Amino acid sequence: MIDRYLRRLGLSEGPPSVEALFRLQSAHVERVAYENLEIWLDRPTTVDPAESVRRIASGRGGYCFHLNGAFSVLLKELGYQVTRHFGGVQNSPDNPPGADGNHLVLMVSGLPSDGNPDGRWFVDAGLGDAIHEPLPLMEGAYAQGPFRYGLRRSEAEPGGWRFDHDPRGGFAGMDFRPEPTGMDAFAAKHEYLSTSPESGFVQVAAIQRRDVTGLDKLTGLVLKRIGAGPESSTTLDRPEDYFGALADVFGLTLDDVTAPEREKLWQRLYGAHERWMGRNDLS
């Protein structure tokens, strides 16, 4: 299964190194989409990393519990010292900081470099529109392509860290705790995110793919490209356009989805888009 995973990333096995770690993360966010379509397909998932590895190796993606859960398995199999950490994303600056378990964070240690002699790296393939490469676990400002990020000590989590997103990002920031944790710590939040009517994942189908020059983002039926130039936006109001974009832009051919499932998914997406348009027409 790990061989299939690496083939999905377009990489081959090799010894741990800073350079290889960077290649692994950048390939992951470029080739494995951040997506919550299993929720919209009425397919329950778990936070079991083995399940996530199988799904990613077969051509699908997921959100943070799936992406970073699977990525942690891959890194461990390749010999990296990787730990999982309890995090929390704040969608807007008005949300209180702190880790509530809605995000799984990875940390890789034991890889010193000239710029990071401590050898600890903030690694994350599950933040959707955020980092393209690992960040040294050091306070500072970091540029990746057209985006700017900050990393500093958390004011809400003693001994923890705070990631500040680019102002154009889909969330304000994220705090995470310093001590490692197990996957069972995220089970309750995953249940909420994937089933509650109040969950953003239940309300909106979201797909994102980061690359070196920017971000592709599909929210409902609205496809956006965010990068160095002006933001572009297109509404995909025909099923052939939507499923074509999934394949061409995000690498999601949905080979595991039957024709009736695709039709049901499209009807749900289009209905949600129409309701959203109706609310905006009234505002």
Side-chain angles (χ1 to χ4, degrees):
M1 192 62 68
I2 294 300
D3 289 340
R4 288 178 60 194
Y5 199 153
L6 285 170
R7 284 198 298 272
R8 175 91 193 273
L9 301 184
L11 300 173
S12 57
E13 189 169 347
S17 70
V18 173
E19 295 76 16
L21 180 65
F22 273 56
R23 287 194 297 270
L24 284 162
Q25 163 140 353
S26 61
H28 210 293
V29 297
E30 289 178 9
R31 291 174 175 247
V32 183
Y34 178 100
E35 51 116 340
N36 64 351
L37 288 179
E38 295 294 71
I39 295 171
W40 286 72
L41 286 163
D42 291 323
R43 293 178 171 182
T45 63
T46 73
V47 297
D48 177 15
E51 175 189 295
S52 299
V53 167
R54 290 192 295 271
R55 188 162 57 253
I56 289 172
S58 66
R60 291 293 303 280
Y63 52 93
C64 67
F65 304 138
H66 311 117
L67 298 174
N68 281 340
F71 196 29
S72 68
V73 172
L74 177 63
L75 291 172
K76 186 175 181 180
E77 287 291 325
L78 295 176
Y80 290 87
Q81 300 175 35
V82 58
T83 49
R84 302 171 181 137
H85 297 262
F86 195 83
V89 167
Q90 295 85 49
N91 290 323
S92 81
D94 296 330
N95 297 138
D100 66 355
N102 71 6
H103 189 65
L104 162 63
V105 179
L106 302 183
M107 185 193 305
V108 169
S109 58
L111 285 180
S113 68
D114 290 341
N116 184 16
D118 184 56
R120 294 189 300 163
W121 300 89
F122 166 48
V123 175
D124 208 307
L127 274 174
D129 67 352
I131 61 175
H132 181 251
E133 298 176 333
L135 296 180
L137 201 62
M138 302 168 55
E139 292 194 348
Y142 300 93
Q144 292 187 355
F147 304 121
R148 302 294 180 268
Y149 309 119
L151 201 58
R152 55 188 169 91
R153 289 291 183 177
S154 173
E155 299 173 358
E157 299 294 340
W161 291 85
R162 169 75 178 184
F163 170 78
D164 293 311
H165 203 351
D166 187 276
R168 289 177 293 171
F171 61 94
M174 185 270 296
D175 294 274
F176 64 97
R177 296 173 182 172
E179 66 274 6
T181 193
M183 288 302 299
D184 57 347
F186 303 99
K189 186 61 72 171
H190 169 66
E191 177 72 13
Y192 169 82
L193 291 173
S194 60
T195 63
S196 172
E198 302 300 316
S199 165
F201 287 164
V202 174
Q203 295 174 0
V204 179
I207 306 161
Q208 299 173 355
R209 186 194 67 86
R210 183 75 163 85
D211 60 40
V212 69
T213 64
L215 166 76
D216 295 304
K217 181 177 184 178
L218 181 55
T219 306
L221 302 184
V222 180
L223 175 65
K224 293 183 178 182
R225 175 67 187 180
I226 303 170
E231 179 179 309
S232 65
S233 179
T234 304
T235 298
L236 307 174
D237 54 6
R238 301 187 305 168
E240 56 266 35
D241 295 333
Y242 180 83
F243 290 110
L246 286 187
D248 297 340
V249 179
F250 300 97
L252 293 171
T253 56
L254 301 190
D255 295 334
D256 60 326
V257 179
T258 66
E261 286 177 319
R262 284 177 182 246
E263 175 61 22
K264 182 178 178 181
L265 172 62
W266 172 252
Q267 293 301 328
R268 291 188 68 182
L269 290 166
Y270 193 81
H273 180 74
E274 289 288 282
R275 290 190 295 275
W276 177 79
M277 291 292 292
R279 288 195 297 270
N280 279 270
D281 288 343
L282 293 174
S283 61

